[in-house]
Amino acid sequence: SQQGEEDPQALSIQEGENATMNCSYKTSINNLQWYRQNSGRGLVHLILIRSNEREKHSGRLRVTLDTSKKSSSLLITASRAADTASYFCATVLLAQKLVFGQGTRLTINP
Amino acid sequence: DVKVTQSSRYLVKRTGEKVFLECVQDMDHENMFWYRQDPGLGLRLIYFSYDVKMKEKGDIPEGYSVSREKKERFSLILESASTNQTSMYLCASSFRGWNTEAFFGQGTRLTVV
């Protein structure tokens, strides 16, 4: 069973616009992570937010976490064509299993 | 730089064959993972290992087994490949601990014919 579910499944925006992706999860977490995957490649870690944090920034990325709603969002500001990729949220369950959601496919149109 | 290396980028095998997918990491990570990725289903955890010779089942272990004889190497074994195991397989590793990031290999696209 998937721990996280991303929304929307696909998102297409114009270059320069902001992109927001959401993730909902089912169980209590210690932290939530976001990863990026370029087409046909492995995943790359973007950012980790701990359960006692509400917001975190890294460059053009902003992540929020609402543990009461069991949800997180990833905001990419001033999008670029190179941001075109799939984005996944992930959580660490008991015994340190790392589980992923289904991902959001982001397309940035030039 | 951390490196996670999967033995093959593309693989074509016949139904019924025994298939070995190898993954090696060079960062002395305790944890290693095998996932399969299918369109619309995201990444699903097959098996996870937190130490040498230790393994835990993930969400979809049926039809697969794993081996971890050395810390740096984690093998995924398809005992008798079937067409429904055609997929992208991704290996990852991480340090033990709650707040550690995972590093991924480049993936193996396996086709079973």
Side-chain angles (χ1 to χ4, degrees):
Chain A
S1 59
Q2 298 291 107
Q3 160 71 334
E5 291 187 8
E6 284 91 343
D7 170 58
Q9 291 190 5
L11 180 62
S12 180
I13 62 173
Q14 295 299 121
E15 195 167 14
E17 293 181 341
N18 296 342
T20 300
M21 290 159 271
N22 302 297
C23 169
S24 59
Y25 56 92
K26 298 173 184 173
T27 64
S28 297
I29 59 170
N30 183 274
N31 66 65
L32 187 139
Q33 305 178 31
W34 285 90
Y35 289 77
R36 165 198 169 119
Q37 183 183 35
N38 288 88
S39 181
R41 312 297 294 182
L43 279 71
V44 175
H45 183 264
L46 293 175
I47 197 166
L48 180 153
I49 185 166
R50 302 185 186 210
S51 59
N52 60 354
E53 297 176 308
R54 291 297 165 257
E55 188 170 311
K56 198 163 183 180
H57 296 254
S58 177
R60 294 185 295 113
L61 304 180
R62 174 182 163 237
V63 170
T64 61
L65 180 64
D66 186 336
T67 53
S68 67
K69 295 181 179 178
K70 291 187 169 59
S71 68
S72 174
S73 67
L74 170 67
L75 169 67
I76 303 174
T77 60
S79 63
R80 305 167 182 169
D83 294 329
T84 293
S86 293
Y87 293 83
F88 295 85
C89 65
T91 55
V92 180
L93 301 183
L94 289 175
Q96 299 189 22
K97 292 181 185 180
L98 181 64
V99 292
F100 287 81
Q102 296 175 332
T104 292
R105 184 179 299 171
L106 175 65
T107 302
I108 309 299
N109 301 302
Chain B
D1 279 353
V2 174
K3 197 152 187 177
V4 180
T5 303
Q6 295 183 228
S7 53
S8 302
R9 187 84 174 91
Y10 298 95
L11 210 52
V12 180
K13 295 292 182 181
R14 294 195 178 276
T15 302
E17 275 193 77
K18 191 168 186 176
V19 181
F20 293 86
L21 302 183
E22 307 285 347
C23 176
V24 177
Q25 50 94 4
D26 65 0
M27 276 299 292
D28 204 34
H29 286 163
E30 294 88 3
N31 297 338
M32 295 190 76
F33 309 82
W34 274 108
Y35 298 88
R36 67 176 281 177
Q37 183 177 22
D38 301 287
L41 297 178
L43 275 73
R44 291 180 292 168
L45 181 64
I46 305 172
Y47 267 100
F48 157 59
S49 170
Y50 54 89
D51 204 345
V52 174
K53 297 190 188 294
M54 306 306 288
K55 61 186 180 184
E56 291 262 348
K57 291 181 181 180
D59 294 323
I60 52 165
E62 297 79 18
Y64 303 94
S65 62
V66 290
S67 171
R68 191 153 180 216
E69 296 295 318
K70 293 184 178 181
K71 192 174 186 180
E72 67 271 18
R73 186 181 296 270
F74 191 34
S75 302
L76 179 70
I77 303 155
L78 286 65
E79 298 291 340
S80 177
S82 64
T83 54
N84 63 13
Q85 292 178 309
T86 291
S87 186
M88 169 72 96
Y89 290 88
L90 292 162
C91 173
S93 69
S94 72
F95 284 117
R96 188 174 296 154
W98 290 104
N99 296 308
T100 63
E101 65 181 277
F103 294 85
F104 278 79
Q106 77 277 25
T108 296
R109 187 166 293 281
L110 172 68
T111 302
V112 182
V113 297

